[in-house]
Amino acid sequence: MANQNEKKLIVKKSWCKGCGICVEFCPKNVLALKHEKVEIVDMENCIKCGLCELRCPDYAIYLGGIEDEK
Ligand code: SF4
Ligand code: SF4
């Protein structure tokens, strides 16, 4: 299992319906809506709290393990 620090924020744009919930809940303003899809605008600030993952109704954003990148 990857620990929290090794996790990476992953966005599945095709699943995102642009509701903006994750943008609202992110405490660090990491996310923004662009062209009705979520976009990571400030990855440096992400504290990997997982709130976006928790709130997204469409499983379009989540903290995945490094292995998910492959
Ligand atoms: S994990 Fe937390 S800080 Fe990072 S984008 Fe999601 S809500 Fe924002
Ligand atoms: S909460 Fe999910 S569906 Fe809504 S904007 Fe964020 S990633 Fe897209």
Side-chain angles (χ1 to χ4, degrees), residues 6-7 12 16 27 34 41 44 70:
E6 287 167 339
K7 286 188 174 179
K12 289 245 186 284
C16 174
K34 280 185 188 161
V41 290
E44 294 287 290
K70 289 177 190 146

Side-chain angles (χ1 to χ4, degrees), residues 4-70:
Q4 204 70 0
N5 281 336
E6 287 167 339
K7 286 188 174 179
K8 185 177 181 293
L9 195 61
I10 295 168
V11 171
K12 289 245 186 284
K13 279 200 183 180
S14 53
W15 294 359
C16 174
K17 65 185 177 192
C19 66
I21 293 173
C22 59
V23 178
E24 288 298 313
F25 275 94
C26 176
K28 291 290 179 181
N29 297 319
V30 173
L31 308 167
L33 278 187
K34 280 185 188 161
H35 311 294
E36 306 196 337
K37 296 278 180 185
V38 69
E39 201 154 290
I40 299 170
V41 290
D42 199 358
M43 193 60 201
E44 294 287 290
N45 264 335
C46 178
I47 54 170
K48 297 168 185 168
C49 64
L51 269 181
C52 50
E53 174 178 9
L54 209 65
R55 297 292 173 173
C56 176
D58 292 274
Y59 309 102
I61 188 162
Y62 57 91
L63 292 169
I66 301 291
E67 63 273 17
D68 287 353
E69 283 179 70
K70 289 177 190 146

